[in-house]
Amino acid sequence: YKTHQGAYGESEGGAGFFGDLSVRDNIIRNAVLMGMSWRQAETLAPEIARFAGIPASLDEILRTLSRADTRCIGYATALHAQPTLFVADEELVVGPSSLREAGLERMASFPDDNHALLVATNKANLLRRLCTRAIVLENGRVTFDGDLEVGLAHFRRPHRTADPDDAGDQDEGST
């Protein structure tokens, strides 16, 4: 049978984990929920734990780990599951710098015909590293959708409010 890979939001790292289960059982359970087969999740569990940089044994009970370690495991699991849509905010990657760098490299490989990466940030260098397209929102409305560099210029410009009643007023805040 075919599994469907859904969406994953980075800020959810570790959401849905059960403290009374082992690290291994939590990785497998969450990877399966993200669309991996049981066999694939079981095989990748040791690699996911290594990628997360967790010194704990796979058989250790999750509640004995810190919240930060749990987030790292959740994040590493999602990166290995390669969901159809990976949503990340500007916090992007959790954990030590080695995990952040490895995570960014892995995320940069996501966008293709079957996977999409949505990054919500105003950090231009990060967007340049991960994205080719920008969607700019102002007051909840799309004001630009297209090339990343043009979108960044659109974002930086002194912009007008999207409220027609305020037409002509300059908004000095950022979106």
Side-chain angles (χ1 to χ4, degrees):
Y1 78 99
K2 186 175 180 177
T3 60
H4 172 73
Q5 293 178 309
Y8 175 81
E10 189 278 321
S11 62
E12 300 172 12
F17 280 4
F18 288 96
D20 291 333
L21 296 178
S22 69
V23 170
R24 177 189 323 272
D25 290 343
N26 274 289
I27 289 172
I28 293 169
R29 181 181 172 281
N30 279 272
V32 168
L33 289 172
M34 289 182 213
M36 269 191 200
S37 71
W38 187 272
R39 185 180 313 268
Q40 184 183 20
E42 219 172 18
T43 301
L44 286 176
E47 181 182 330
I48 292 169
R50 271 192 304 280
F51 189 89
I54 304 305
S57 159
L58 281 172
D59 297 318
E60 191 165 336
I61 300 301
L62 189 73
R63 69 175 140 62
T64 64
L65 296 156
S66 71
R67 177 70 182 137
D69 285 349
T70 301
R71 286 195 72 206
C72 290
I73 294 168
Y75 176 69
T77 302
L79 287 173
H80 283 75
Q82 293 187 334
T84 304
L85 174 63
F86 192 97
V87 181
D89 62 16
E90 59 190 22
E91 295 299 316
L92 267 187
V93 185
V94 297
S97 61
S98 59
L99 176 60
R100 285 194 301 271
E101 185 58 33
L104 288 171
E105 286 177 22
R106 198 163 186 112
M107 276 192 283
S109 72
F110 276 8
D112 62 23
D113 290 339
N114 299 314
H115 302 90
L117 174 65
L118 186 140
V119 182
T121 185
N122 60 2
K123 296 179 179 178
N125 288 337
L126 182 61
L127 291 170
R128 284 186 182 103
R129 184 170 179 183
L130 297 174
C131 304
T132 58
R133 176 179 165 200
I135 299 173
V136 179
L137 302 175
E138 293 179 32
N139 297 320
R141 297 181 188 172
V142 175
T143 60
F144 178 84
D145 181 353
D147 177 75
L148 177 63
E149 290 302 326
V150 176
L152 289 171
H154 178 86
F155 178 76
R156 285 190 211 106
R157 78 179 182 359
H159 53 280
R160 299 186 187 283
T161 180
D163 185 349
D165 295 333
D166 295 332
D169 293 345
Q170 292 290 326
D171 178 9
E172 294 189 10
S174 66
T175 53

